[in-house]
């Protein structure tokens, strides 16, 4: 089943969405935005660990390609990432990752050679200068230490050659009875909004306590978050920052209830020792037809309100720049959907076809405003239709397409407008029981990367 906790996680500041902009492979979603498509939710496996698992599995050094636009156009979007160093013991590990963007080097060397009247020592020196251009490279350090099986800390530092400022972060994880405690600080923190724009918040601090799902379907969460400094847009200059990223100190609580009703469900398992019927992924081994729903509420208290932003250069975000961030308010959110799967994903051909359709309302109050007076409502208030199609290509290879559509688009004369779309190919690894290598591409963001995902939908 698709992730039913996306709604409650989207209300807070620490939901990770996959992004090649950083070495750790994720940015944060913006609270209050429409729920992100499922394929964009980042892997739960830390980026350095992904490289380590794949190298152990393939017994070869791994170099992973990615696509990520930069502010410097001559660097290009294509790059390569690899694990350069790994040190570890039973309590800690330290890794170094590196990224290389070859376009500027290739173009520079080509121009030097083509423009040279004759190939001499001076030409060699000019060519050599391009190989030591620091803008081509970036490095990331990650260190994790486990005080106990229930408590660990993580520190990260990364520097990009074309940028003067380093990115740093620190996290504390603590497993409590039926709860998870997370403390996170980043300088700066990268956020991705529903329009595909990136924002850097100079200082971001979060403390969150989240419950595990109870047998009754209830879960709750409470968090304290602080934004410091004015958000800056990355790789662009237009638009205004979302209200939830403006400076301030916020206390937020949320609770939700989820329910799944199966029309039919095949829970039979493979015979032990029969390799022919062992599924490529145990999470895709259950044919079914089901409906599901989630309803929840949030309460937000801004203890220190930030100032409003305005811009004369953009009309697209006019509703954001002129709107007011209330000091305290409550809201409701919800989702309802249908899921169908054919096949158990055990055969080489035609044994997996799956469709998930879900309608999300991220803010019931904003949607009510839109119905009563559409001119004053936030553009993100409309319900979103999320469609997920998965189809086995051959053996462990699966094609997947995730689409998000604003339902108000059905009323447009110009036809249906797709708000977000991500397509991917995955290769399931039987040795991990539920592990797969996913290569995804986002045409809207002009980004793509390769990830290892384990025990994820």
């Amino acid at each position: 089943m698709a992730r039913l906790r996306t709604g409650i996680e989207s209300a807070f500041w620490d939901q990770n969405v996959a992004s090649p902009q950083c070495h750790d492979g994720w940015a944060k979603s913006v609270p209050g935005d429409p729920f992100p498509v499922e394929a964009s939710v980042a892997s739960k496996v830390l980026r350095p660990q992904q490289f380590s698992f794949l190298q152990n599995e393939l017994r070869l050094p791994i170099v992973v390609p990615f696509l990520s636009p930069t502010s410097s156009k001559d660097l290009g979007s294509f790059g390569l990432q690899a694990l350069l160093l790994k040190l570890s013991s039973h309590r800690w590990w330290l890794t170094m990752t590196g990224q290389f963007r070859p376009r500027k080097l290739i173009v520079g060397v080509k121009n030097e050679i083509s423009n040279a009247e004759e190939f001499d020592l001076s030409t060699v020196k000019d060519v050599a200068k391009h190989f030591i251009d620091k803008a081509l490279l970036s490095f990331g350090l990650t260190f994790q230490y486990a005080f106990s099986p229930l408590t660990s800390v993580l520190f990260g530092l990364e520097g990009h050659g074309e940028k003067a400022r380093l990115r740093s972060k620190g996290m504390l994880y603590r497993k409590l009875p039926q709860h998870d405690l997370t403390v996170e600080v980043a300088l700066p923190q990268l956020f991705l909004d529903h329009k595909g724009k990136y924002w850097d918040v100079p200082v971001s601090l979060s403390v969150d306590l989240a419950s595990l799902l109870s047998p009754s379907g209830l879960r709750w969460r409470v968090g304290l978050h602080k934004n410091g400094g004015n958000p800056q847009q990355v790789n662009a200059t237009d638009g205004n920052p979302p209200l939830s990223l403006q400076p301030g100190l916020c206390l937020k609580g949320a609770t939700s209830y989820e329910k799944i009703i199966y029309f039919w469900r095949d829970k039979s398992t493979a015979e032990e020792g029969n390799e022919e019927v062992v599924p490529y992924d145990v999470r895709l081994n259950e044919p079914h037809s089901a409906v599901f729903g989630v309803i929840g509420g949030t309460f937000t208290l801004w203890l220190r309100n930030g100032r409003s932003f305005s811009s004369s250069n953009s009309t697209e975000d006019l509703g954001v720049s002129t709107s007011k961030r209330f000091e305290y308010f409550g809201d409701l959110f919800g989702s309802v959907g249908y899921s169908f799967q054919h096949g158990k994903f055990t055969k080489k051909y035609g044994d997996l076809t799956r469709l998930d359709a879900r309608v999300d309302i991220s803010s019931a109050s904003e949607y009510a405003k839109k119905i009563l007076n559409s001119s004053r409502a936030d553009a993100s208030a409309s319900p979103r239709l999320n469609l997920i199609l998965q189809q086995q290509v051959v053996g462990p290879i699966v094609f997947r397409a995730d689409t998000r559509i604003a339902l108000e688009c059905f009323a447009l004369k110009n036809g249906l407008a797709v708000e977000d779309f991500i397509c991917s190919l995955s290769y399931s690894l039987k040795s991990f029981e539920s592990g797969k290598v996913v290569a995804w591409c986002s045409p809207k963001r002009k980004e793509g990367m390769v990830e290892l995902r384990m025990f994820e939908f």
Side-chain angles (χ1 to χ4, degrees):
M1 194 61 61
R3 291 163 46 95
L4 299 184
R5 63 180 185 272
T6 301
I8 192 170
E9 289 182 349
S10 297
F12 291 80
W13 283 262
D14 63 347
Q15 178 171 244
N16 296 334
V17 289
S19 170
Q21 289 280 340
C22 297
H23 276 259
D24 47 25
W26 47 256
K28 302 292 186 181
S29 64
V30 175
D33 269 7
F35 305 158
V37 295
E38 294 296 327
S40 70
V41 177
S43 171
K44 292 183 291 186
V45 183
L46 294 174
R47 190 66 171 166
Q49 291 179 323
Q50 295 179 35
F51 286 101
S52 180
F53 282 135
L54 290 175
Q55 289 186 176
N56 292 337
E57 176 72 13
L58 303 177
R59 302 187 183 280
L60 290 171
I62 299 297
V63 179
V64 176
F66 67 90
L67 291 174
S68 176
T70 62
S71 54
S72 179
K73 301 300 182 182
D74 59 346
L75 287 175
S77 298
F78 178 77
L80 299 170
Q81 185 176 19
L83 181 65
L84 304 179
L85 172 69
K86 179 184 177 182
L87 303 173
S88 63
S89 74
H90 68 288
R91 281 186 176 269
W92 61 269
W93 54 263
L94 171 69
T95 62
M96 173 185 285
T97 54
Q99 289 184 355
F100 170 62
R101 295 181 180 269
R103 182 183 182 276
K104 186 177 181 181
L105 174 63
I106 296 172
V107 173
V109 171
K110 179 182 177 181
N111 291 338
E112 291 289 352
I113 295 176
S114 61
N115 294 333
E117 295 181 358
E118 59 181 42
F119 196 84
D120 53 15
L121 182 59
S122 62
T123 304
V124 174
K125 291 181 179 180
D126 292 337
V127 170
K129 291 179 181 178
H130 292 279
F131 284 88
I132 58 175
D133 186 352
K134 66 177 183 179
L136 303 175
L137 303 172
S138 63
F139 298 94
L141 289 172
T142 306
F143 173 77
Q144 186 175 42
Y145 183 86
F147 294 99
S148 70
L150 302 179
T151 306
S152 65
V153 293
L154 183 143
F155 300 98
L157 181 68
E158 67 179 75
H160 296 258
E162 79 279 12
K163 299 177 182 179
R165 184 172 183 180
L166 297 176
R167 291 187 178 275
S168 59
K169 67 178 181 182
M171 300 182 188
L172 168 68
Y173 302 96
R174 172 65 179 175
K175 280 280 187 181
L176 301 172
Q178 300 300 313
H179 294 81
D180 291 328
L181 174 65
T182 306
V183 180
E184 184 172 355
V185 60
L187 306 167
Q189 183 65 271
L190 187 67
F191 287 86
L192 175 65
D193 67 20
H194 72 285
K195 300 174 185 176
K197 297 179 180 179
Y198 284 98
W199 300 91
D200 258 337
V201 176
V203 180
S204 177
L205 173 64
S206 295
V207 181
D208 285 282
L209 180 65
S211 72
L212 303 181
L213 181 65
S214 68
S216 63
L218 289 172
R219 68 169 82 237
W220 64 268
R221 186 170 181 174
V222 62
L224 182 67
H225 180 83
K226 175 177 173 57
N227 292 324
N230 297 333
Q232 302 294 325
Q233 195 166 350
V234 180
N235 300 339
T237 56
D238 63 327
N240 297 281
L243 291 175
S244 58
L245 301 187
Q246 294 180 10
L249 182 64
C250 179
L251 177 64
K252 177 174 281 192
T255 184
S256 67
Y257 172 76
E258 57 192 61
K259 182 70 174 179
I260 304 173
I261 300 176
Y262 288 94
F263 297 119
W264 60 267
R265 183 183 188 187
D266 186 353
K267 299 182 67 175
S268 59
T269 57
E271 300 177 11
E272 185 176 353
N274 189 349
E275 291 293 332
E276 293 184 358
V277 294
V278 174
Y280 293 105
D281 189 328
V282 296
R283 293 225 165 183
L284 293 173
N285 186 42
E286 192 175 275
H288 65 266
S289 175
V291 292
F292 57 89
V294 180
I295 186 170
T298 63
F299 180 79
T300 306
L301 172 64
W302 283 97
L303 304 176
R304 187 179 303 165
N305 224 346
R307 66 179 181 86
S308 297
F309 288 77
S310 62
S311 173
S312 58
N313 299 324
S314 173
T315 58
E316 179 184 2
D317 296 306
L318 186 60
V320 176
S321 63
T322 59
S323 57
K324 178 182 178 182
R325 188 170 71 184
F326 298 101
E327 292 186 3
Y328 54 88
F329 62 92
D331 208 347
L332 298 174
F333 62 87
S335 302
V336 62
Y338 173 75
S339 177
F340 170 82
Q341 178 175 321
H342 165 74
K344 293 189 173 183
F345 201 28
T346 58
K347 303 176 182 178
K348 290 186 177 180
Y349 303 100
D351 200 29
L352 176 66
T353 299
R354 177 162 178 158
L355 175 66
D356 291 83
R358 190 185 75 215
V359 177
D360 298 326
I361 297 179
S362 58
S363 173
S365 62
E366 290 294 331
Y367 185 45
K369 290 179 184 178
K370 188 172 185 65
I371 295 175
L372 298 175
N373 190 342
S374 60
S375 62
R376 296 184 180 180
D378 193 331
S380 64
S382 300
R384 261 61 180 181
L385 172 63
N386 285 272
L387 298 174
I388 306 173
L389 171 65
Q390 298 184 76
Q391 177 62 52
Q392 181 184 22
V393 179
V394 57
I397 301 175
V398 174
F399 170 78
R400 171 168 169 163
D402 288 57
T403 308
R404 185 178 68 204
I405 303 168
L407 291 186
E408 66 175 353
C409 294
F410 285 109
L412 297 179
K413 296 181 180 179
N414 296 330
L416 189 63
V418 176
E419 188 177 66
D420 199 4
F421 174 75
I422 294 179
C423 59
S424 63
L425 280 176
S426 64
Y427 185 95
S428 296
L429 304 169
K430 277 190 174 182
S431 57
F432 286 152
E433 191 173 308
S434 179
K436 54 189 176 183
V437 179
V438 181
W440 61 263
C441 176
S442 171
K444 179 179 180 179
R445 289 153 50 186
K446 299 179 181 179
E447 290 182 339
M449 64 186 297
V450 179
E451 293 185 286
L452 173 66
R453 301 190 176 189
M454 301 181 66
F455 292 97
E456 298 180 46
F457 170 69

